[in-house]
């Protein structure tokens, strides 16, 4: 009788350790999602700020300035539910304003335009990377949360199911080419 109880105890301890390790892994994935989301928010804010600054600098023509300013302002002021749409609209506005290389050249030739164009190109280039890191962390957490053991033993606790950040983040090709 005693050897059987010992084996049952060993199995229960092993299962408990495995579940504890899985819960810890899930917690680390959620922390990684939080860090990636903060980095994504910082990059999106930087992109909107630089775009807004460029729109008010007087370097662009008035129509392009208005389009870019309104899209950047909407992206900065968007509530969480509308953030993806507002950021996509800013991406579309950036592509519309910097559709051809002549607009980029005109910005670069203006006083202070070279630095502004480089800063905007850098900000626009970092957004897709930050979004990819965030969505990769979300994908890993979702895959783990869909396992039966995580659901049955409620290892995720009360944490919300992670959501990917889906937006149009294609940078304006002329801006990226000219800044390189």
């Amino acid at each position: 009788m005693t050897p059987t109880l010992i084996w049952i105890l060993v199995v229960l301890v092993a299962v408990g350790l495995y579940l504890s390790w899985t819960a810890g892994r899930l917690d680390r994935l959620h922390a990684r999602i939080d860090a990636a989301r903060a980095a994504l928010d910082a990059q999106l804010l930087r992109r909107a700020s630089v775009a807004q600054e460029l729109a008010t600098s007087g370097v662009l023509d008035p129509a392009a300035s208005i389009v870019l300013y309104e899209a950047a302002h909407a992206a900065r002021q968007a509530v969480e539910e509308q953030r993806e749409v507002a950021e996509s609209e800013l991406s579309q506005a950036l592509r519309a304003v910097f559709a051809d290389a002549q607009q980029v050249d005109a910005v670069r030739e203006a006083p202070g335009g070279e630095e502004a164009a480089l800063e905007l190109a850098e900000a626009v280039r970092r957004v897709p990377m930050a979004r990819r890191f965030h969505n990769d962390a979300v994908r890993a957490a979702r895959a783990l949360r869909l396992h039966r053991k995580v659901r049955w033993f409620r290892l995720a606790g009360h944490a919300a199911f992670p959501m990917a950040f889906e937006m149009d983040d294609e940078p304006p090709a002329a801006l990226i080419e000219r800044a390189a």
Side-chain angles (χ1 to χ4, degrees):
M1 182 84 174
T2 307
T4 306
L5 287 177
I6 292 174
W7 280 111
I8 290 172
L9 186 63
V10 166
V11 168
L12 287 176
V13 167
V15 168
L17 286 173
Y18 178 71
L19 291 175
S20 174
W21 176 81
T22 303
R25 181 172 167 226
L26 190 59
D27 186 51
R28 287 188 302 276
L29 282 172
H30 282 163
R32 191 171 121 199
I33 289 171
D34 291 343
R37 182 57 188 244
L40 175 62
D41 287 342
Q43 292 304 320
L44 291 171
L45 181 63
R46 180 173 181 241
R47 180 181 76 154
S49 297
V50 172
Q52 206 169 17
E53 195 175 297
L54 186 62
T56 58
S57 68
V59 176
L60 299 171
D61 62 271
S65 291
I66 291 171
V67 167
L68 194 56
Y69 181 83
E70 286 180 354
H73 182 72
R76 290 183 71 180
Q77 300 298 318
V79 293
E80 192 61 36
E81 294 81 30
Q82 298 296 318
R83 183 105 188 261
E84 293 173 351
V85 173
E87 294 294 346
S88 293
E89 288 173 355
L90 177 56
S91 294
Q92 293 164 1
L94 285 165
R95 281 197 308 272
V97 169
F98 297 107
D100 59 352
Q102 290 144 351
Q103 180 73 5
V104 177
D105 291 338
V107 168
R108 292 179 72 184
E109 290 168 2
E114 181 74 30
E115 294 83 22
L118 288 173
E119 190 175 0
L120 181 61
E122 188 65 29
V124 165
R125 206 176 316 171
R126 287 183 178 189
V127 167
M129 286 188 293
R131 189 175 74 86
R132 209 170 304 125
F133 287 140
H134 175 267
N135 287 349
D136 286 346
V138 167
R139 198 172 302 113
R142 280 180 161 186
L144 184 59
R145 286 185 68 156
L146 292 176
H147 285 268
R148 276 189 217 125
K149 66 180 177 256
V150 173
R151 291 191 320 255
W152 288 350
F153 291 102
R154 300 176 191 247
L155 298 181
H158 297 289
F161 195 73
M163 301 300 291
F165 194 85
E166 298 299 332
M167 65 172 268
D168 174 9
D169 61 2
E170 184 181 337
L175 182 66
I176 299 299
E177 289 170 4
R178 296 287 191 209

